[in-house]
Amino acid sequence: MLKDVTFGQYYPGDSFLHRADARIKIIILIIYLVIALAAQSALAVALSAAFTLYLAVASHIKLRLLLKSVKPLIFVLVFTGIINLFFTAGSGEPLLQWKFITIYREGIRNAVIMLIRLVSLVLGSAVLISYTTNPIDLTDAIESLLSPLKKIKVPVHEFAMMMSIALKFIPTLIEETNKIISAQKARCADFESGNVFRRIKSLVPVLVPLFVSAIRRAEELADAMECRCYRGGEGRTKLKEMKTRPADWIFLLAAAAMCACVIFLNRVPVKEVFEFWKGMF
Amino acid sequence: MSFITCRGLTFSYSPESRVVINGIDLEIEKGSYTAVLGHNGCGKSTLAKLMCGILLPTGGSVCVGGIDTADAERAYEVRRKCGMVFQNPDNQLVASIVEDDVAFAPENLGLPRGEIRRRVDEALATVDMSGYAKHSANKLSGGQKQRVAIAGVLAMGPECIIFDEATAMLDPTGRQEINAAMKRLNREMGLTVITITHYMSEAVEADRIIVMDHGAVAADGSPREIFSQVEKLKAISLSVPQVTELMYEMELDGFAMPRGILHAMEAADEIEKRAGGGKK
Ligand SMILES: Nc1ncnc2c1ncn2[C@@H]1O[C@H](COP(=O)(O)OP(=O)(O)O)[C@@H](O)[C@H]1O
Ligand SMILES: [Mg+2]
């Protein structure tokens, strides 16, 4: 189960998305989320799906990895799909009526929109941020974007440092968890059988040593950081300079324009445009 | 000239707990190579942390390069002069990418970007890891991680590096890499090196050995002097190098052997002499 964690996994590469400035990418992510959530009408949803598709292709990330980011969501996808399909009441004639099942045209529409929206949300943020952004760049970018908050004494640097350390230690802790599980299995611990409560209870002997070791690691890391003259963000300089290129700004403008389009298309009734267009001939 | 000076040094982790360092007077010469021996829990790591200003003495004083570690205003000068490499390579690397980790100390010192770049490249070259600058630190071998950790300290521009059991978690290859690096730092770059170790073969390489017991210095001298006191070392449950042990056992069996032999070739020569040989 732990093999499937894709959060915080960076796949080095040289695509347009890899080279884009991390701060711009974070802003684009916000715009992207607005687009995915705001799209209502058919045209708007199609546009937002096209944007997702573009990001996925532009990232040069393998299809297998893209699917992996959606995989943990399968259950949620199926569940929301079914709910929307069967429980949306429509105004017109039902398309299908069999015993207690009634499906309206609106049900299909809602289910499709919901699925596109969910997949877009997950896939887009994975491609924009996790897969294509070096964790250090990401935390530097967050620190830089939030730096105005330093004025009101928000510990922005500390937050960014915590996040980058957490990202660095995810693989170490996953490896350690697997080791502990193997060690407990070698002593006949049983993680696979029994009901949910038994299984949760069987995880206690894994979590306790994991916490103990994580705390010990943290103490040692703190000593090592102090030894290397760490004293918080004050007066700290950076090896890497964050630089935006013209292409980044164009990307940002395009995303903003796309957002405006989606909001506009939401208001355009497709049917009337279609009628109007037919009337022209 | 002495670089680190401890005067009547005592330390306990909290007022009510026992004294961990119990009256140590010690001078470490600039440019020297010192090994510290002692069984688990005798206070070696604590002494090391006192020497680089991570812990402050509860009694007595520690001076590093003429600066008292208790001087709060110059605390970072002390840490910059005296770096430390720890046992577990996983727990001392801060960043996921090798060069980002090596840059951590110079970034903390607030150096300009060009200078950081120069120091990172130089430190990685010194430990022979230049080819791994952009690699993920998680995917390196133990010895490589530990070399990155050394580079991370070197980039700070220290005058002294303390290795706290830095080879304890490594395989034999990794151990060799780190020992070679330590020797090079001392012999070629003139850094003061202090290594805490349980491997007698590593201690033999040093110019001076300090044996600790219960938070105090039990013996202090050249490897030859220290390892000729086999009974004393055994009394505080420490071992001696294999060859020294062999010579000691032969002496117990009635062969008059010189004390303090450290290397196999030396021992072979002595045995050959006594075997009445001369045959070559
Ligand atoms: N953070 C700590 N808090 C309290 N006691 C400690 C701490 N670290 C070490 N000690 C105690 O100090 C003594 C010396 O520890 P240490 O210097 O780590 O020994 P060594 O490195 O020689 O094995 C041990 O008895 C240990 O229990
Ligand atoms: Mg120790």
Side-chain angles (χ1 to χ4, degrees):
Chain A
M1 56 179 173
L2 290 170
K3 285 197 296 291
D4 289 335
V5 178
T6 53
F7 173 71
Q9 288 214 25
Y10 167 56
Y11 294 93
D14 196 34
S15 74
F16 166 65
L17 283 180
H18 283 92
R19 275 176 282 134
D21 182 81
R23 288 167 300 180
I24 301 257
K25 281 205 271 188
I26 293 176
I27 300 175
I28 291 178
L29 176 70
I30 295 171
I31 297 178
Y32 175 82
L33 295 180
V34 170
I35 292 178
L37 291 172
Q40 295 290 342
S41 76
L43 277 178
V45 169
L47 193 59
S48 115
F51 192 21
T52 309
L53 215 60
Y54 167 73
L55 289 179
V57 172
S59 70
H60 292 296
I61 297 286
K62 291 197 195 75
L63 184 64
R64 190 174 52 82
L65 288 171
L66 293 177
L67 292 180
K68 204 169 153 190
S69 71
V70 186
K71 204 173 124 193
L73 252 91
I74 295 271
F75 177 73
V76 178
L77 289 180
V78 172
F79 190 70
T80 28
I82 289 176
I83 294 268
N84 274 292
L85 193 57
F86 295 137
F87 294 95
T88 311
S91 46
E93 276 290 296
L95 290 176
L96 182 119
Q97 198 149 25
W98 179 69
K99 291 194 179 163
F100 57 93
I101 296 177
T102 358
I103 297 180
Y104 290 95
R105 183 187 287 279
E106 283 87 346
I108 295 180
R109 191 180 159 277
N110 280 0
V112 170
I113 288 181
M114 209 57 201
L115 289 187
I116 291 179
R117 189 178 283 170
L118 280 175
V119 172
S120 299
L121 284 179
V122 178
L123 201 61
S125 34
V127 164
L128 252 177
I129 302 294
S130 324
Y131 284 164
T132 60
T133 316
N134 178 344
I136 285 276
D137 294 348
L138 180 63
T139 47
D140 280 357
I142 291 176
E143 185 174 350
S144 156
L145 284 175
L146 295 181
S147 62
L149 294 180
K150 280 180 188 164
K151 291 221 177 62
I152 53 165
K153 299 258 187 296
V154 177
V156 173
H157 166 78
E158 285 73 10
F159 173 72
M161 181 56 83
M162 268 163 51
M163 193 170 144
S164 86
I165 289 175
L167 287 173
K168 149 96 189 2
F169 276 89
I170 285 175
T172 315
L173 291 180
I174 288 178
E175 198 179 304
E176 177 136 37
T177 312
N178 285 336
K179 257 188 217 159
I180 296 174
I181 289 180
S182 304
Q184 305 287 21
K185 272 187 185 162
R187 293 173 202 145
C188 300
D190 181 6
F191 297 105
E192 268 108 32
S193 64
N195 59 25
V196 178
F197 293 107
R198 265 196 66 159
R199 282 202 215 179
I200 290 175
K201 227 177 112 188
S202 74
L203 281 180
V204 171
V206 172
L207 291 180
V208 171
L210 189 67
F211 276 125
V212 170
S213 120
I215 287 170
R216 210 193 47 233
R217 277 179 199 283
E219 277 178 353
E220 277 184 43
L221 184 69
D223 277 343
M225 287 171 69
E226 284 207 326
C227 255
R228 287 158 80 183
C229 298
Y230 180 67
R231 58 190 119 171
E234 203 131 318
R236 205 162 182 273
T237 48
K238 291 278 166 66
L239 168 66
K240 285 177 184 148
E241 191 179 14
M242 282 186 281
K243 255 195 287 202
T244 54
R245 296 162 314 140
D248 295 339
W249 293 104
I250 294 173
F251 188 19
L252 181 61
L253 275 180
M258 185 88 77
C259 188
C261 275
V262 164
I263 290 170
F264 173 71
L265 285 176
N266 267 342
R267 296 170 179 275
V268 177
V270 184
K271 224 180 264 162
E272 279 163 38
V273 173
F274 190 62
E275 295 295 325
F276 173 76
W277 191 60
K278 259 201 327 207
M280 297 273 286
F281 299 95
Chain B
M1 198 190 85
S2 103
F3 181 64
I4 301 178
T5 315
C6 305
R7 290 265 169 270
L9 178 61
T10 59
F11 180 82
S12 56
Y13 278 95
S14 62
E16 59 272 14
S17 74
R18 73 185 174 83
V19 182
V20 176
I21 298 293
N22 199 355
I24 287 187
D25 284 290
L26 200 62
E27 301 205 344
I28 305 284
E29 294 299 312
K30 198 168 177 59
S32 64
Y33 187 176
T34 310
V36 179
L37 302 179
H39 57 77
N40 280 333
C42 73
K44 304 181 297 295
S45 300
T46 309
L47 180 64
K49 286 177 192 166
L50 284 162
M51 283 178 167
C52 51
I54 300 287
L55 296 174
L56 296 181
T58 47
S61 69
V62 181
C63 276
V64 177
I67 305 169
D68 192 328
T69 58
D71 184 349
E73 288 187 359
R74 304 178 75 182
Y76 291 101
E77 262 178 84
V78 171
R79 289 182 196 171
R80 198 190 59 71
K81 278 173 189 276
C82 190
M84 195 161 161
V85 176
F86 294 82
Q87 182 175 39
N88 190 332
D90 283 323
N91 298 353
Q92 55 186 316
L93 301 184
V94 183
S96 321
I97 305 289
V98 169
E99 65 173 3
D100 292 330
D101 186 81
V102 178
F104 184 68
E107 285 178 341
N108 289 335
L109 295 173
L111 298 176
R113 184 162 293 130
E115 174 69 6
I116 298 179
R117 184 79 260 169
R118 198 184 62 71
R119 286 193 180 199
V120 168
D121 292 343
E122 197 177 288
L124 282 174
T126 307
V127 296
D128 235 353
M129 289 290 288
S130 300
Y132 292 89
K134 307 258 187 246
H135 282 229
S136 161
N138 285 317
K139 296 197 176 112
L140 300 178
S141 76
Q144 288 173 327
K145 281 182 196 166
Q146 211 60 323
R147 280 192 279 160
V148 172
I150 295 176
V153 173
L154 279 178
M156 198 162 67
E159 293 170 46
C160 169
I161 303 187
I162 304 179
F163 294 83
D164 187 0
E165 299 188 33
T167 57
M169 296 183 73
L170 304 181
D171 59 1
T173 328
R175 217 153 61 217
Q176 255 167 22
E177 287 168 14
I178 301 307
N179 281 321
M182 272 195 256
K183 236 196 266 180
R184 203 164 61 237
L185 295 180
N186 178 250
R187 303 276 138 86
E188 288 169 25
M189 299 178 60
L191 288 179
T192 309
V193 170
I194 302 175
T195 169
I196 297 172
T197 183
H198 286 296
Y199 293 99
M200 296 305 148
S201 53
E202 290 177 20
V204 165
E205 302 284 341
D207 306 325
R208 174 186 179 189
I209 294 181
I210 294 169
V211 180
M212 283 184 68
D213 188 36
H214 288 104
V217 174
D220 182 354
S222 72
R224 222 169 268 283
E225 286 161 14
I226 296 297
F227 289 127
S228 36
Q229 310 166 30
V230 181
E231 294 89 349
K232 187 170 177 182
L233 291 180
K234 290 198 177 242
I236 52 177
S237 55
L238 282 177
S239 64
V240 294
Q242 262 183 350
V243 180
T244 316
E245 176 92 40
L246 174 70
M247 293 289 112
Y248 176 68
E249 292 294 333
M250 286 179 76
E251 191 186 307
L252 289 188
D253 287 347
F255 298 95
M257 285 291 175
R259 286 278 182 110
I261 285 196
L262 305 173
H263 303 286
M265 281 319 291
E266 253 181 299
D269 285 346
E270 291 294 337
I271 292 173
E272 203 172 301
K273 237 189 276 168
R274 279 168 185 68
K279 304 173 272 181
K280 259 251 155 114

